[in-house]
Amino acid sequence: IHCHQINLERAIGIISQPSLTPASLSDCRLRQQLKQRTQFQSPCVENMPRRGGKNKGGNKKWSRKRKVEERSAKSDKPRTNGGGYYTIINSNAKFEAYYSLVGLHNNRYDEESKKFVPCANDAEKHAERDLFMTSMTSILPASFRVDRSLDATTQKNVLDELQEFVGKEMEVEIELPKRSEAFGGMKNILDKGTDGEEKKVDGAMDENKDDAKKEECDAKSADATTETGDETTTPIDDGPTIIKKTIAPAKPIPFISSGETILGYQLSVDRRTLRRNKSLEPLHEWLKIQTDCGHVTRQETVSMIPPVVLDAKEGMSVLDMCAAPGSKTCQLVEHVGGFSTVASEGGEKKDLEPKGYVVANDADEKRAYMLVHQLRRMNSPAIFVTSCDGQFFPILDEKSDKGTEREGTFDRVLADVPCSGDGTIRKNPGIWRHWNHLGSLALHPLQLSIALRGARLTKVGGYVVYSTCSMNPMENESVVAELLRVSDGSLVLEDPRERMEGLIARPGWASWRVLREGQNRTRKAMKDWKKKNNSKMMAKKKKFDEMREEADGHYGPAKKEAKVDDTSKDGDEKRKDEDQNKKVEKEEEKFVPSLFDTKPYIPPVTWDEAALNERTTSLGFHEYKSYDEVEPEWRRRVRASCFPPTEEEAKKFELEKCLRCLPQDMDTGGFFVALLKKVKPLNMAAIERMNTLAKESRGGGEVDGQVPKKGKDKKEQKSETDKKGSESEDVAMTESSAAEDKTDGEPTTTSEAKDDDKPKEENKKENEEEETIRKAPQGKVGMYHKHQKKEDLSKQDFVPADPSVWPPIVKEFGLDTSTFPTDQFFVRASGEAKILYFLCKHVKGELIDRGIQERVTVINSGLKAFERCSLKESNHMSYRLAQEGIQYIVPHMTKRILSANMDDFCGCIKLGFTPFDSFSEKFQEGLKELTPGSFIVTLEGFEKDVAKKMYLTMWRRTNNCVNCFVTKIEMEAMLSKMRALGYVSKKEDEEVKSGESAGKEPAVEEKMDTSS
C-alpha cells in the first residue's frame, strides 16, 4: 500500500506540471503519460498491474487444471472453419488478374485438330479460364515411372505386378471429413469418375437426372442423421462421410518409354488418398518397396519432361545444375549410366562399368545431402554430387580450348533453375496466399546467370535445357530470349515435340507484357495495413484520439509551427525541395485495398483491354511499354532483358518452339521447357554478362540492362572490360574457372595484340605467385550469405587409397591384379580410411584428375566397396566386402566366393543368424571350407552378370552359422528379382496349393507379404 501511494503521488505530480503541454510533447511521450494517468485512476491495489515476472500485465497464473477445463469447454462448442484449422482459399486476385491480362487464357486446345487455337470470343475465354481454375484448385494426382535401366526380365516383372494393381478399375471406400469440403481439392477429384461425371454414394451412377448432386447430398445426410420420432436431426459430432468410389485404371504416359514399352503411369487419385486409404494399402506398400529398391520413382508427370527433352544417350557426360531433390537426376542416370557390355565366359576383357556419368549440383548443402539419399537407390558409381552456387560452377576447360570448337565440359546440361513455383500450386496450396509478381522479377537475373553458365559448360554440338515450374513469362520466355540475344547465334532453339509422343504442350510466347507491383502491394505492406486496421486497433485508435482531444481542451490548442517563406529561396532550391517532397510522399505511399481483391476472385464480365487494365491497376500493378519508361529506382528490379523481343528478333528466335504445359491440358502441374543447341562457342559479350550477373548476385557489380556509355574509343572500353574481368575472377574462384580474357573469346586485331603483350606478360609474372584457387560459393544468393557460418568440407575430398592397404585385401579375396582397378578406389581425406569407395574411370579421369575438387565442394560420389572390419573373428582381415559396390569386385575375385542354387540363395536372404543345416549339403560343404570372415554368395548362372547384381555379402561365423550383410531394402529387391526369374519359395508354393484346393486364387499382396 505504501508503494502504491508513492507511485500515485509521482503520477499526479507529473501530470500536474503546468509546463508540460501536448504541444510540447511528442506523441510517444504523450501516449505514455496518458497511459499512466488512466492506470492510477483507482486507488485500489487490486487494479494495479503486475510489475515484472512472467505474468506481467495482470494475467492469471498458468494452471494445467484450468487449461484442461478451458479445453473441454471449447470442445463442447461446435467447431467452425474446418475444425479450427486455417482454411486455404484457392484464390488470389493478383494471380488471376495478372494472368488474365498477359493472355494465359487466350488460347484453347482443339480436340479435332489436336492443336491450340486462339479463343474467338469472351465465352471461350471464360470457359478456358474456368477449366484452368478447376484444374488448379484440385489436388494433383500421383504419378510414377519404372526404371528404364533395369534388365529386361526384372523390368517386365515389375510392370506385370503393376498391372495387377492399377490395370483395372478398383472400388474403394473413402472417408471424407466435413472440413475437406472447404478445401475443394480432394473432394473434387474423388467426386469424379473416369469420364468426369459425378458419382453417388454406394458407387451407383445416375446419368439421366440433372439433380444427381442433390440426391447425393440427400443420401449423405440420410446416412449421417438420427431419427427421433417424426423428426430427423444431424448430430454435431458425426464422423466422416464414407463414400464408395470406382478408381479408374492408371493412365499411361506415352513419352516416358523405353522402345515400345511404356514406363510412366499417372493414377486417378492423389498421394494423400493413396497413403491413407485402406483399400489402396496393398498398392501403396508395393510402391514403397519398389521405390526403396530403386525399381520405381514417384515423380510428377511434368517433372519427367526435361530429362526426356534433353535426350541424353548412354556414355554421355551430363550436368544437373540445380538437382535437388533428385527425381530428374535419377532419370538422367537411367539414360547415361547403363552397362554397354557384359563380361563373357570366354574371358574377353570388356567394360564392366558405366561409360557415362552425371554431376548433380545444388547450392544448398542440406539439400545436396538429401540428394545423396535419393540417388543411393540407383546404386551407380557414375554419380558425382557437389554443392555450389550454379552461377559459379567451375569451368574445367584448358586455356587453349577456350573460344574454340573444343569449348565445354559436358555433352548435356540441365538448368532447372529456382523459380516462383506458381505451377506447383496443386501440390503447394500455400502459394495461393503468398503469390506476388515481384518474386518473379527478382529471380529473373539469377535464372539468366545460371542459364548462361550452363551454356558455357556445354560442349559445342551439345544441348542445354532450361526449365522452370512457373507460368510467368518473366521467368520463361524473357530468359530464353535474352539467352538467344546475348549469344548472338551461338545458341539455337529447337522443337522436341516430334519425339514426345502423347505430350500436349502449348507454344511459347513471342510477345508479353511487362508489369510490376508497387511497394505498397508487397506482402509486408498488406500485412501491416491489415494489422493496423483491424477492429481492435481501430478501437484503441479511437480511444486515443478521444483522450488527445480531451487533453487539448484542458491545456489549450497546440502551438503551430512558423511557416518558412518559400519566396526567399532560389528557383533551383525550391524545385529540389519539391522533388524531394514528392519522393518522400511516394515512398510513404500506403496500402489501399482494392474493390477487386475478393476471395474468391470474381472474373470480369468482358475481356476487353480496359476492363483487364482497370483490375490490374486497382490491384497495384504498373505496366511499362518499354525499358525507357522504367523509373531509375526500379531498374534494378525491372531490367531491359524482361521486355519482349522486336519483330525481327521474334522471327529469328522462334520462341514458339518452347514448351508450355498448363494444368488443364494433361491434368498435371504447370511447367516450362526450352531446348537449346550450342552450335559454336559463346562470344565475349555473353561471358562478360555471365560474370557480371554472378558478381552482382553476391553483393557487387553494376546493374545489367543499362545502355552502354557512348563516345569511348576501343582502348577505353577494353580497359574497362579487363578491369571487370579481373574483378569477376576474384568472385568466380580462378581465371581458368570463371573469368575469361577477351583474347580467348574472340580474335583481336594485331595492333591491339601488340599493345597488350607487355602488360599481360608483366601481370602474369606478378600474379603467378599470388594466384590462389578458391572454391565456388555455396548457399542461396543474397547479401546475408556473408553472415552464414559454413563448415569447411575441404578435408572430405576424395584422395587415392594408400597402396599399403591392398596386399592383404588382394591376398584374402584372390583379386586378379591384372584386371582389378586399384587406381579407381578412393578414401575421404579425413585421415582414417574407414571406407574404400569405387569411382568409375570417367569420373576419375574427366573430373577428379582435372582438379574439380579444388574448385567446388564435393558431397559424395562412388559406391562403398570395402569397409573397415572391427569384428574379433577377423583377426587376419582388415577390410570386409560392402554390398553397395560388390558387383564391381566379384568379377575380379577368385577366393571366398560360393555359388548357390535358388533355394540356398533365398535361404541366405534373412535377417539375423542362419545355421548351416538350413542349406543343402553341397552348400554346407562350401561353407565349412571357409574360414571366419567376409565372403560372397552368387546365384548360379549369374556369376558374371554385373547388371542384375545377384550377389550377397555374407559373414561366416565360428559357431557354424552365417549372417547376411545386406540391408532390408535390398533384400526386398533381391526377392523381386527372383520372382522375375520365376522362383517361388516352398512356403509360397504350399500356400498356392492350399488355395487351389480350397477353390481360392491367392492375391498378389499375400504373396508379397509371405516372401518378405
Side-chain angles (χ1 to χ4, degrees):
I1 296 174
H2 178 66
C3 293
H4 168 58
Q5 291 176 350
I6 294 175
N7 292 332
L8 186 60
E9 291 174 0
R10 288 177 181 174
I12 296 172
I14 290 174
I15 297 175
S16 61
Q17 291 181 12
S19 60
L20 296 178
T21 61
S24 61
L25 294 172
S26 63
D27 290 344
C28 182
R29 182 63 176 168
L30 177 62
R31 187 183 294 107
Q32 183 178 3
Q33 292 189 2
L34 292 176
K35 183 177 180 181
Q36 291 176 353
R37 179 180 176 183
T38 56
Q39 287 178 349
F40 300 117
Q41 286 178 355
S42 175
C44 300
V45 183
E46 295 178 358
N47 293 332
M48 287 291 296
R50 297 176 182 266
R51 299 186 178 275
K54 294 183 179 180
N55 297 318
K56 189 183 294 184
N59 296 330
K60 296 181 181 179
K61 186 177 180 181
W62 190 90
S63 171
R64 186 180 299 275
K65 182 178 179 181
R66 180 170 54 82
K67 289 292 182 182
V68 172
E69 293 175 354
E70 292 177 356
R71 198 179 298 115
S72 61
K74 289 181 179 179
S75 62
D76 295 337
K77 299 179 181 179
R79 290 176 176 262
T80 58
N81 194 17
Y85 296 99
Y86 182 82
T87 302
I88 297 176
I89 300 176
N90 297 334
S91 179
N92 186 299
K94 294 191 297 181
F95 174 88
E96 298 188 45
Y98 171 77
Y99 280 117
S100 297
L101 179 65
V102 298
L104 190 68
H105 314 307
N106 290 351
N107 296 322
R108 63 178 181 85
Y109 184 68
D110 188 10
E111 293 289 347
E112 296 180 359
S113 62
K114 303 296 181 181
K115 294 181 180 180
F116 289 94
V117 296
C119 295
N121 48 42
D122 289 353
E124 291 185 356
K125 291 183 180 180
H126 272 295
E128 183 67 18
R129 183 258 174 195
D130 294 341
L131 186 61
F132 171 78
M133 291 303 300
T134 302
S135 300
M136 290 290 284
T137 54
S138 60
I139 297 181
L140 186 69
S143 55
F144 55 89
R145 55 177 176 80
V146 179
D147 187 357
R148 62 175 292 146
S149 64
L150 291 175
D151 62 278
T153 307
T154 306
Q155 189 180 88
K156 183 178 181 301
N157 180 72
V158 172
L159 291 173
D160 291 342
E161 291 182 355
L162 176 64
Q163 289 299 323
E164 295 185 12
F165 285 111
V166 299
K168 56 185 178 181
E169 292 185 352
M170 295 177 59
E171 189 177 76
V172 297
E173 292 184 354
I174 297 172
E175 296 182 358
L176 187 64
K178 281 191 172 182
R179 68 167 181 264
S180 66
E181 296 179 6
F183 289 84
M186 182 174 67
K187 186 175 186 299
N188 288 345
I189 280 187
L190 299 180
D191 283 352
K192 294 182 182 293
T194 58
D195 53 354
E197 295 182 356
E198 296 289 337
K199 293 195 175 184
K200 295 176 61 178
V201 184
D202 301 332
M205 296 290 295
D206 191 356
E207 301 178 354
N208 300 323
K209 296 184 180 180
D210 295 334
D211 55 350
K213 292 184 180 179
K214 183 178 179 180
E215 293 182 1
E216 183 177 355
C217 296
D218 296 341
K220 291 179 185 177
S221 60
D223 293 340
T225 55
T226 56
E227 295 184 3
T228 56
D230 297 334
E231 298 179 357
T232 58
T233 59
T234 303
I236 295 175
D237 295 332
D238 56 345
T241 306
I242 306 298
I243 302 176
K244 288 186 179 180
K245 289 293 174 183
T246 301
I247 304 301
K251 183 173 62 176
I253 306 173
F255 55 86
I256 306 297
S257 60
S258 177
E260 297 181 356
T261 305
I262 296 178
L263 302 177
Y265 291 90
Q266 181 173 311
L267 300 177
S268 56
V269 294
D270 59 284
R271 292 183 300 174
R272 183 170 57 184
T273 304
L274 181 63
R275 183 173 61 251
R276 297 182 179 181
N277 191 272
K278 294 183 179 179
S279 304
L280 300 174
E281 187 175 356
L283 172 60
H284 183 233
E285 291 297 325
W286 182 85
L287 282 174
K288 285 199 303 183
I289 293 173
Q290 298 299 328
T291 301
D292 293 337
C293 297
H295 297 168
V296 170
T297 300
R298 284 181 277 186
Q299 185 180 0
E300 188 181 350
T301 302
V302 290
S303 178
M304 305 177 192
I305 297 176
V308 179
V309 171
L310 193 60
D311 194 25
K313 304 293 184 182
E314 188 175 300
M316 288 185 175
S317 57
V318 182
L319 169 64
D320 192 352
M321 302 187 71
C322 309
S327 58
K328 299 182 188 68
T329 312
C330 292
Q331 198 172 351
L332 292 172
V333 174
E334 295 172 11
H335 283 78
V336 304
F339 294 92
S340 57
T341 56
V342 180
S344 62
E345 298 180 358
E348 294 182 6
K349 184 179 180 181
K350 293 188 178 181
D351 292 331
L352 299 176
E353 59 186 75
K355 288 186 176 181
Y357 62 90
V358 176
V359 177
N361 176 73
D362 198 86
D364 191 351
E365 181 184 322
K366 294 181 180 179
R367 288 172 60 86
Y369 280 107
M370 179 178 63
L371 178 64
V372 173
H373 178 73
Q374 174 82 346
L375 294 174
R376 191 164 289 164
R377 304 181 302 110
M378 304 304 297
N379 194 243
S380 174
I383 302 172
F384 198 80
V385 183
T386 62
S387 176
C388 77
D389 188 352
Q391 305 173 93
F392 301 93
F393 194 89
I395 298 172
L396 305 178
D397 300 351
E398 299 292 338
K399 291 186 178 180
S400 59
D401 295 340
K402 297 175 182 178
T404 66
E405 296 296 326
R406 299 186 302 273
E407 179 183 281
T409 308
F410 301 95
D411 299 304
R412 301 285 189 270
V413 174
L414 173 60
D416 188 38
V417 297
C419 61
S420 59
D422 55 12
T424 64
I425 289 182
R426 297 184 68 177
K427 62 179 181 180
N428 298 317
I431 298 177
W432 283 115
R433 294 180 57 196
H434 306 303
W435 184 92
N436 66 81
H437 184 54
L438 292 175
S440 299
L441 294 172
L443 288 168
H444 174 84
L446 172 65
Q447 295 164 341
L448 179 59
S449 177
I450 295 175
L452 282 170
R453 174 66 66 167
R456 174 62 184 84
L457 292 165
T458 307
K459 294 180 180 179
V460 177
Y463 288 91
V464 56
V465 164
Y466 175 83
S467 63
T468 68
C469 50
S470 171
M471 299 175 290
N472 201 320
M474 294 297 100
E475 306 176 58
N476 299 333
E477 285 88 354
S478 62
V479 177
V480 176
E482 186 66 11
L483 275 174
L484 298 172
R485 185 183 297 112
V486 173
S487 63
D488 193 20
S490 299
L491 300 175
V492 178
L493 198 60
E494 291 196 357
D495 193 349
R497 289 178 174 84
E498 295 180 358
R499 51 185 172 85
M500 302 284 289
E501 182 184 356
L503 176 67
I504 303 176
R506 300 173 180 239
W509 294 355
S511 180
W512 55 87
R513 293 186 166 189
V514 179
L515 295 88
R516 58 96 174 160
E517 293 182 67
Q519 292 291 353
N520 61 334
R521 303 295 303 188
T522 60
R523 191 189 312 171
K524 184 178 183 302
M526 296 171 67
K527 186 177 180 181
D528 292 343
W529 184 87
K530 293 178 181 178
K531 186 176 180 181
K532 293 177 181 178
N533 291 272
N534 56 24
S535 58
K536 187 176 180 181
M537 292 298 296
M538 293 299 290
K540 289 184 177 181
K541 185 178 180 181
K542 184 178 179 181
K543 185 177 180 181
F544 178 75
D545 292 339
E546 293 176 354
M547 295 171 62
R548 185 165 186 169
E549 289 178 1
E550 182 183 351
D552 289 343
H554 180 73
Y555 294 109
K559 295 181 180 179
K560 296 182 180 181
E561 297 181 358
K563 292 184 178 181
V564 180
D565 188 11
D566 293 339
T567 58
S568 61
K569 295 185 178 181
D570 296 334
D572 295 339
E573 293 181 3
K574 185 177 180 181
R575 206 178 300 111
K576 189 182 294 185
D577 293 341
E578 290 177 357
D579 295 338
Q580 186 69 20
N581 294 335
K582 288 181 180 179
K583 187 175 180 181
V584 171
E585 290 177 1
K586 191 172 184 179
E587 290 177 352
E588 295 179 354
E589 186 181 2
K590 297 182 179 180
F591 166 72
V592 179
S594 172
L595 297 175
F596 302 104
D597 193 2
T598 59
K599 294 185 178 180
Y601 174 75
I602 302 174
V605 179
T606 60
W607 290 77
D608 60 300
E609 192 81 9
L612 297 177
N613 279 325
E614 181 186 3
R615 288 171 176 264
T616 52
T617 304
S618 175
L619 290 168
F621 286 95
H622 181 78
E623 184 176 1
Y624 300 108
K625 298 296 182 182
S626 64
Y627 182 69
D628 296 333
E629 297 181 3
V630 182
E631 300 87 349
E633 62 270 17
W634 278 98
R635 292 197 173 189
R636 190 173 182 84
R637 187 63 64 90
V638 183
R639 309 192 176 222
S641 56
C642 295
F643 288 83
T646 61
E647 293 183 2
E648 295 180 359
E649 289 179 335
K651 293 178 181 179
K652 180 181 177 182
F653 294 163
E654 297 179 330
L655 293 174
E656 63 274 4
K657 293 182 178 180
C658 299
L659 306 180
R660 269 187 163 269
C661 300
L662 294 187
Q664 68 268 29
D665 296 334
M666 298 187 297
D667 197 13
T668 61
F671 219 81
F672 176 86
V673 184
L675 177 63
L676 298 158
K677 183 177 181 180
K678 186 175 181 180
V679 295
K680 62 180 181 180
L682 289 183
N683 54 26
M684 192 56 197
I687 293 173
E688 289 178 358
R689 184 72 175 278
M690 173 184 70
N691 294 330
T692 303
L693 288 172
K695 181 183 176 182
E696 179 192 338
S697 67
R698 291 282 166 176
E702 298 179 356
V703 181
D704 73 313
Q706 294 184 355
V707 181
K709 297 179 181 179
K710 298 181 181 180
K712 293 187 178 182
D713 55 3
K714 294 182 178 180
K715 291 185 178 180
E716 290 180 355
Q717 293 179 2
K718 181 175 177 60
S719 62
E720 288 184 2
T721 55
D722 291 341
K723 184 178 179 180
K724 291 180 181 178
S726 61
E727 291 176 354
S728 61
E729 287 176 7
D730 297 337
V731 181
M733 307 89 65
T734 180
E735 180 183 359
S736 62
S737 61
E740 299 182 347
D741 295 334
K742 188 169 184 178
T743 55
D744 293 332
E746 291 180 348
T748 57
T749 60
T750 55
S751 60
E752 291 176 351
K754 289 180 180 179
D755 294 337
D756 296 336
D757 283 340
K758 291 183 179 180
K760 281 188 177 180
E761 291 177 359
E762 294 175 1
N763 293 335
K764 185 176 180 181
K765 292 179 181 179
E766 293 176 2
N767 295 334
E768 277 181 354
E769 297 179 358
E770 299 178 0
E771 182 178 356
T772 58
I773 297 176
R774 301 181 183 179
K775 288 197 173 185
Q778 294 177 257
K780 298 179 181 179
V781 298
M783 295 298 295
Y784 65 91
H785 71 277
K786 298 180 181 179
H787 307 288
Q788 293 177 345
K789 295 181 180 179
K790 294 197 169 56
E791 182 183 358
D792 183 15
L793 298 178
S794 58
K795 295 183 179 180
Q796 299 298 321
D797 293 343
F798 286 93
V799 296
D802 189 356
S804 61
V805 305
W806 289 116
I809 295 177
V810 171
K811 181 180 179 181
E812 181 67 24
F813 299 104
L815 300 176
D816 188 359
T817 55
S818 62
T819 59
F820 187 68
T822 56
D823 59 333
Q824 293 180 224
F825 289 85
F826 291 79
V827 297
R828 289 286 195 172
S830 58
E832 298 181 2
K834 295 182 179 180
I835 300 174
L836 301 180
Y837 295 90
F838 174 77
L839 276 67
C840 69
K841 57 185 177 183
H842 295 282
V843 171
K844 174 184 177 296
E846 298 181 19
L847 297 177
I848 294 180
D849 291 349
R850 297 175 72 175
I852 191 174
Q853 296 186 110
E854 298 175 357
R855 296 179 173 90
V856 70
T857 302
V858 179
I859 301 298
N860 198 1
S861 183
L863 299 176
K864 295 180 182 178
F866 296 94
E867 294 188 60
R868 180 78 62 85
C869 184
S870 59
L871 295 177
K872 297 180 180 179
E873 297 176 348
S874 60
N875 296 327
H876 61 286
M877 190 181 300
S878 57
Y879 285 90
R880 67 173 180 86
L881 298 165
Q883 178 68 21
E884 189 173 308
I886 192 60
Q887 68 269 33
Y888 301 101
I889 303 174
V890 170
H892 307 282
M893 290 177 59
T894 59
K895 295 181 181 179
R896 303 192 69 83
I897 180 170
L898 297 178
S899 181
N901 56 26
M902 286 281 193
D903 292 331
D904 291 336
F905 192 84
C906 184
C908 293
I909 307 175
K910 290 181 180 179
L911 296 175
F913 303 111
T914 305
F916 286 1
D917 54 9
S918 60
F919 301 105
S920 63
E921 295 181 359
K922 182 179 178 181
F923 193 70
Q924 289 185 39
E925 293 177 359
L927 291 175
K928 292 177 181 179
E929 294 177 359
L930 294 174
T931 57
S934 181
F935 69 99
I936 297 298
V937 176
T938 66
L939 185 62
E940 290 180 354
F942 299 92
E943 291 84 357
K944 300 296 182 181
D945 195 342
V946 179
K948 284 190 174 60
K949 193 186 176 181
M950 301 303 293
Y951 311 131
L952 295 175
T953 303
M954 306 290 292
W955 186 272
R956 202 269 197 203
R957 298 192 174 273
T958 55
N959 55 352
N960 292 334
C961 64
V962 295
N963 194 10
C964 185
F965 280 10
V966 180
T967 61
K968 188 176 180 181
I969 294 173
E970 194 159 356
M971 288 183 180
E972 296 287 351
M974 287 289 182
L975 294 173
S976 177
K977 294 177 184 178
M978 294 184 70
R979 288 197 299 271
L981 297 173
Y983 175 73
V984 180
S985 64
K986 295 180 180 179
K987 292 183 178 180
E988 289 179 352
D989 193 14
E990 293 176 359
E991 290 181 1
V992 170
K993 291 180 180 179
S994 62
E996 290 177 354
S997 61
K1000 297 180 180 179
E1001 185 178 356
V1004 177
E1005 55 266 24
E1006 294 176 355
K1007 290 184 181 180
M1008 292 177 58
D1009 294 339
T1010 306
S1011 62
S1012 61

